[in-house]
Amino acid sequence: MTDSDGKPHQGSAAPDGEPEYADRVYRSVPGVISGVFLLAVAAWLIGDAVVTGTGKTPYVALAAVPVFALPVIAYTLRPAVRADNSRLLVRNPWRTITAPWASVDALRAGYSVELLAGDKKYQVWAVPVSLRQRKRATRAQTRGAAEHASRMGMVFGRQTNPVVQGAPDPTRAWSDQITDVLQEMAERNAARPEAAGPVVVRWCWWVIAPTLVGLVALITVITV
């Protein structure tokens, strides 16, 4: 969580003398934008089908609402990463992984960002990897142009590679910067007493159950 100027909130000092910070929250802005756009288009199409449709069309449109809307929400609006001094919380489309820092073995960014914890591997949906950003970052580092590196996030006035607060190398791709920050937090906080405990995985039933019920209703409306 950050202030309006993009800097994390700083609170009272921890027992060991280090400053306490509010949660860091990361999510894919393009993913959120695309999700809102898809939901808006779907609302318009479904609303039109309900109002002007004939026969079974309005009922099919209504039954399709949870089948379409909930997966879109799950894959675009729901994914997020939240990190504080005691744990890392990864919210994926269908489940939530809570990993105390002591249980985190590593975070790595290959073709996707992965969390290794509790002898298992979990994908981090909220932080997609952009190979284009990586290539741009590599070119900037190869040239060694500091001015270019400081402006590499802007192309035609649009931010393409945001700088992550606290990242050791802001010229790297966005996903790699976040991975670096989270890995550093894991190493720094693993020894805290409150950072101990097992990895907890919870399924997102409020998305799964209505989607399945809606799918059954949609099939029923179409076939009956």
Side-chain angles (χ1 to χ4, degrees):
M1 188 175 297
T2 59
D3 291 316
S4 59
D5 59 359
K7 296 181 180 179
H9 293 294
Q10 183 172 348
S12 59
D16 57 6
E18 295 183 1
E20 290 277 9
Y21 291 95
D23 293 2
R24 293 175 182 265
V25 180
Y26 304 106
R27 65 173 75 243
S28 171
V29 174
V32 172
I33 293 173
S34 64
V36 171
F37 175 76
L38 288 173
L39 291 174
V41 172
W44 177 69
L45 293 175
I46 291 173
D48 181 69
V50 171
V51 173
T52 63
T54 58
K56 294 194 298 184
T57 300
Y59 303 102
V60 171
L62 289 174
V65 170
V67 178
F68 178 81
L70 290 176
V72 169
I73 292 172
Y75 280 94
T76 61
L77 305 183
R78 172 177 156 78
V81 174
R82 183 183 297 271
D84 58 24
N85 290 329
S86 61
R87 65 177 185 172
L88 175 67
L89 186 145
V90 177
R91 204 165 64 192
N92 282 341
W94 303 110
R95 58 183 181 173
T96 299
I97 301 98
T98 304
W101 289 120
S103 68
V104 174
D105 299 318
L107 286 118
R108 63 189 184 191
Y111 290 105
S112 63
V113 175
E114 297 173 338
L115 165 66
L116 281 67
D119 297 324
K120 292 186 178 181
K121 181 173 66 176
Y122 306 95
Q123 279 194 321
V124 181
W125 281 80
V127 188
V129 171
S130 171
L131 297 181
R132 180 176 297 178
Q133 284 185 1
R134 280 187 177 165
K135 291 179 180 178
R136 190 180 298 118
T138 300
R139 288 196 298 267
Q141 292 168 351
T142 301
R143 294 188 186 114
E147 182 179 356
H148 175 78
S150 66
R151 297 183 302 175
M152 63 175 294
M154 302 298 295
V155 175
F156 300 114
R158 181 170 61 91
Q159 194 171 24
T160 60
N161 185 38
V163 174
V164 177
Q165 180 70 27
D169 185 359
T171 66
R172 301 189 71 194
W174 178 73
S175 57
D176 297 329
Q177 292 182 57
I178 293 177
T179 303
D180 291 342
V181 170
L182 296 178
Q183 180 64 42
E184 191 273 333
M185 291 183 69
E187 295 171 357
R188 186 178 70 244
N189 296 311
R192 288 175 175 264
E194 64 270 25
V199 178
V200 178
V201 179
R202 293 187 176 90
W203 289 94
C204 185
W205 291 110
W206 70 267
V207 173
I208 298 173
T211 300
L212 294 177
V213 172
L215 181 60
V216 172
L218 179 61
I219 294 173
T220 302
V221 170
I222 292 175
T223 57
V224 172

